[in-house]
Amino acid sequence: MSFLRLPVLLALILFSGPVLAAEIGESIPESNRLDFTITRNGDVIGSHQVRFSRSGDQLTVQTEIAIKVTFAFITFYDYQHSATEVWRDGMLQSISARTNNDGAPEFVSIRREGDRLAGTSTRGDLDLPGDIGATSYWIPGYLDAGTWLDTQDGEILEMTHNRKGEEPVIVQGKSIPAMRSHSVANNGSEVDLWYAGRKLMKMQFKAFDDSILTYNRL
C-alpha cells in the first residue's frame, strides 16, 4: 500500500498447509471479532473491523475498513475497503477485495489452484505461489514472509521485518504486554504491528504526508 492508500500494504500471509493451521485458531479472539479505532494526529478518522465465521472445516474472514478525513465539513480523503478471505485446513483458498480509494476503484480477486493462487487485480493478472503474503495482519506468522500481496490493488511487495521486542499497549483501559514488529516494503511503505500472544492488538502506519495512522484495539 502506499499509506494513505491504506492499510493495505495491509498484508495477509498466505502460508500453506499445516504451518498455519494451529496458529489460525490461536489468532482468533473468543468473540470472533477484532475492532479498531483509527486515529490521525489524535483525531478519530475511521474504523477497522475483522469478523471470523466457521462452517465445517471452512473459515471465512471478513475485513471492513472505513476512513474519512474532513476539515470544516469538507472531505479531503474518503476510503472504504472490503475483503473476504476463505481458509480451509490452514490453507488460504481465496481472497476477494474491493476498495474505493478516494473515488478510485481498486480490486483483487484470487483463488487457489493446486499449490498456487491465481486471479486478477487492478494491476493485472496474478499467478502467485501459495505461500506468498497478503493484506490482513491478524496472523503473526505474517512476519515470517518476505513477500506480501497488497490486497488493495494487487501490488507485490518485498518485505523486511524487524522485531522490536516487548512493549505494552492499552486495550479497554488496561495495559497489556505485546510484542512489536516494524515492517518495511520495497515501495517505502511501513507498518508497526503489536501482538499479545498470537492476537493482533495494535497497528500503526505512516501516511503519504508522513502523518501517523494508529489503529487502537477496542
Side-chain angles (χ1 to χ4, degrees):
M1 132 158 232
S2 72
F3 289 106
L4 256 156
R5 267 189 52 195
L6 257 112
V8 222
L9 206 180
L10 288 147
L12 147 99
I13 304 310
L14 318 176
F15 294 164
S16 58
V19 176
L20 275 185
E23 185 170 304
I24 284 176
E26 294 173 3
S27 300
I28 300 174
E30 292 183 5
S31 62
N32 288 316
R33 59 191 295 164
L34 290 168
D35 293 282
F36 299 88
T37 294
I38 304 171
T39 61
R40 174 179 177 269
N41 298 334
D43 297 324
V44 175
I45 61 169
S47 63
H48 178 115
Q49 301 174 337
V50 185
R51 300 291 182 265
F52 304 88
S53 60
R54 291 186 182 276
S55 178
D57 62 352
Q58 178 172 296
L59 171 68
T60 300
V61 185
Q62 180 71 40
T63 298
E64 300 286 343
I65 304 168
I67 294 172
K68 185 173 287 190
V69 179
T70 61
F71 180 74
F73 303 105
I74 299 173
T75 298
F76 289 94
Y77 184 81
D78 192 5
Y79 177 98
Q80 296 93 35
H81 173 78
S82 178
T84 301
E85 309 158 37
V86 176
W87 294 77
R88 187 175 297 114
D89 298 328
M91 299 177 68
L92 182 76
Q93 302 300 309
S94 65
I95 297 177
S96 177
R98 297 281 174 176
T99 303
N100 173 6
N101 185 13
D102 203 27
E106 298 178 315
F107 75 99
V108 168
S109 179
I110 58 172
R111 184 173 297 276
R112 180 167 292 277
E113 297 181 0
D115 62 352
R116 299 190 68 79
L117 294 161
T120 187
S121 71
T122 310
R123 290 178 177 259
D125 291 342
L126 297 170
D127 183 10
L128 309 169
D131 61 351
I132 194 174
T135 52
S136 199
Y137 294 141
W138 55 274
I139 301 175
Y142 297 177
L143 302 175
D144 293 323
T147 305
W148 284 0
L149 167 70
D150 182 341
T151 60
Q152 179 169 308
D153 68 353
E155 182 176 5
I156 305 302
L157 304 169
E158 299 303 321
M159 305 299 301
T160 58
H161 308 290
N162 180 20
R163 269 70 166 182
K164 308 291 284 188
E166 187 173 292
E167 183 177 304
V169 297
I170 304 299
V171 179
Q172 297 180 350
K174 298 180 180 179
S175 179
I176 298 175
M179 298 301 294
R180 180 179 183 176
S181 181
H182 180 72
S183 299
V184 181
N186 59 330
N187 67 359
S189 299
E190 301 179 38
V191 58
D192 285 85
L193 302 168
W194 286 258
Y195 296 91
R198 295 190 178 276
K199 294 178 175 59
L200 180 61
M201 307 305 291
K202 181 179 177 179
M203 298 179 281
Q204 197 167 81
F205 306 89
K206 181 181 288 187
F208 70 91
D209 60 355
D210 288 334
S211 63
I212 300 300
L213 306 180
T214 302
Y215 292 53
N216 290 306
R217 176 92 176 263
L218 296 175

